[in-house]
Amino acid sequence: MSQLYCRDIISALEFSRDIMDSIFEEADSIRRELGGKKILDYCKDKIMVTLFLEPSTRTRLSFQFAMIRLGGIVIDFGLEQAASIVKGESFEDTVKMVDGYNPDIIVIRHREPGSAARAAEIASAPIINAGDGWNEHPTQALLDLYTIRRELGRIDNITVGIMGDLRYGRTPSSLSYALSRYRGVRIVYIAPKELQIRREVLDKIDGLVEFRMVEKVEEVIEELDILYVTRLQRERFSDLAEYERLKGSYIVTSDLLKKFKRIPLIMHPLPRVDELSRDVDLLPEAKYFAQAENGVYVRAALIKHILTI
Ligand code: NCD
């Protein structure tokens, strides 16, 4: 039986290297099977609820596609239901109510850090954290590592630059935790001082990963295998003037990249705003759309582990 059978997925720190490798192999095999058939039957009769109380495009859709491709059923807690939250219903009551209908799995996104862990205490169905405020986004880390593995053929012995809003972003923390399970990984955090990676993240990877911080991407491009760009999390700034001041402080363009002898693979969890210009899309190193597509296979593999094996 999978170690993840019936488990909640709250933090990328819960993933061992073995479990990630087996999810990646499963994702490859689901991808192959879906080449022949549109709908598989691993999750026939299973019901997933997607409960997204913060905006989402890719994550919600890829979870829904993943479950439907596995033959399962999806019920989306849509904007109409969010009406009762507007009426004042607490997050805890909403989770209790949804869980009471007896779904097999609940995928949750909420603006408060720690919300997915709170939901897991209340619900009897397994909870998947699809983003809890600035804290974590563990399934994004899985698809990021899966993309690296497919593109580079390995996750060990690589140098990854993580750039952008490392303070308010939840993908840099989960990505760092997942990378820390592999050997010989170096991370360079690239951000203006105000947006550098949170201390608590560094404390958790200390001794497992070699890391350093820089302010300018130009300083490090040639040593990177991957440049992982993230957007400024406008919605998490308490001071919008600070957002306006910082938003132009790093922008990756094709002209910038072409100045260097070696261009790393470019990744981004998307959505992008100004930090990654569209002309980069034409470079063979641009991998962010492939990365988004990988989300369906990786999430299907994870759901299969939690529900069936
Ligand atoms: C990210 C998120 O929601 O944290 N998006 C995603 O899930 N693909 C990144 C972001 O919103 O900047």
Side-chain angles (χ1 to χ4, degrees):
M1 192 193 289
S2 166
Q3 290 169 37
L4 296 182
Y5 185 64
C6 282
R7 285 259 313 267
D8 302 306
I9 306 294
I10 307 299
S11 163
L13 285 166
E14 295 156 24
F15 299 136
S16 65
R17 178 191 178 119
D18 284 353
I19 203 75
M20 286 192 277
D21 286 344
S22 87
I23 289 170
F24 300 151
E25 273 148 39
E26 185 71 55
D28 278 341
S29 123
I30 290 174
R31 180 193 293 267
R32 276 192 302 274
E33 288 179 72
L34 285 173
K37 260 178 144 185
K38 284 198 149 175
I39 310 271
L40 311 173
D41 58 6
Y42 296 113
C43 287
K44 228 167 91 204
D45 307 327
K46 307 270 189 210
I47 301 178
M48 165 188 276
V49 175
T50 45
L51 175 58
F52 279 64
L53 304 173
E54 242 195 359
S56 170
T57 315
R58 267 152 299 272
T59 305
R60 186 209 304 247
L61 264 185
S62 65
F63 266 113
Q64 295 178 339
F65 264 91
M67 185 59 169
I68 287 170
R69 296 275 187 224
L70 292 173
I73 295 164
V74 175
I75 296 179
D76 185 51
F77 183 100
L79 288 174
E80 296 123 65
Q81 288 94 329
S84 51
I85 293 171
V86 176
K87 286 182 202 157
E89 182 169 76
S90 71
F91 173 66
E92 280 75 5
D93 282 2
T94 305
V95 171
K96 201 177 272 178
M97 189 269 306
V98 169
D99 188 58
Y101 294 144
N102 229 357
D104 296 286
I105 191 160
I106 305 174
V107 183
I108 286 193
R109 171 172 287 191
H110 189 272
R111 66 176 187 288
E112 277 168 31
S115 50
R118 267 163 45 221
E121 278 171 27
I122 297 166
S124 54
I127 298 286
I128 300 184
N129 180 7
D132 59 330
W134 45 256
N135 187 35
E136 275 216 58
H137 193 353
T139 63
Q140 178 71 41
L142 287 179
L143 74 95
D144 295 340
L145 261 59
Y146 177 69
T147 305
I148 295 174
R149 182 178 136 128
R150 270 178 74 81
E151 299 295 336
L152 290 180
R154 66 178 200 285
I155 304 171
D156 292 317
N157 302 315
I158 58 170
T159 304
V160 183
I162 309 181
M163 168 171 168
D165 188 348
L166 313 179
R167 177 173 175 201
Y168 297 111
R170 54 191 165 209
T171 57
S173 42
S174 292
L175 175 59
S176 303
Y177 300 151
L179 282 170
S180 75
R181 300 295 183 244
Y182 288 82
R183 278 186 295 274
V185 172
R186 286 169 300 276
I187 302 180
V188 188
Y189 293 106
I190 307 157
K193 282 200 182 65
E194 298 87 334
L195 298 179
Q196 260 299 353
I197 191 80
R198 302 187 296 276
R199 184 78 243 169
E200 107 238 0
V201 178
L202 298 180
D203 289 344
K204 288 178 184 142
I205 60 167
D206 197 18
L208 301 171
V209 173
E210 202 185 300
F211 59 81
R212 67 185 216 272
M213 292 175 226
V214 301
E215 278 193 58
K216 290 265 168 274
V217 66
E218 292 89 328
E219 293 171 42
V220 292
I221 282 197
E222 283 185 343
E223 58 181 276
L224 303 179
D225 297 298
I226 307 283
L227 175 61
Y228 188 98
V229 185
T230 65
R231 76 179 168 99
L232 253 63
Q233 306 281 302
R234 184 175 192 276
E235 66 278 27
R236 303 193 206 288
F237 275 77
S238 49
D239 178 0
L240 278 186
E242 177 164 80
Y243 168 79
E244 290 298 331
R245 186 172 61 79
L246 291 171
K247 84 174 178 195
S249 60
Y250 58 93
I251 296 177
V252 175
T253 61
S254 154
D255 282 348
L256 171 93
L257 293 169
K258 282 179 183 159
K259 280 192 210 140
F260 297 91
K261 280 208 271 315
R262 178 169 179 243
I263 301 180
L265 299 182
I266 310 294
M267 294 176 60
H268 192 305
L270 302 176
R272 67 171 144 188
V273 191
D274 299 320
E275 66 285 351
L276 183 58
S277 75
R278 266 162 231 291
D279 52 20
V280 177
D281 301 3
L282 303 173
L283 301 179
E285 290 83 5
K287 297 296 174 196
Y288 28 94
F289 290 110
Q291 184 185 353
E293 189 189 324
N294 288 337
V296 173
Y297 305 113
V298 170
R299 290 184 168 120
L302 178 69
I303 296 165
K304 189 175 170 212
H305 269 261
I306 297 173
L307 292 183
T308 72
I309 46 178

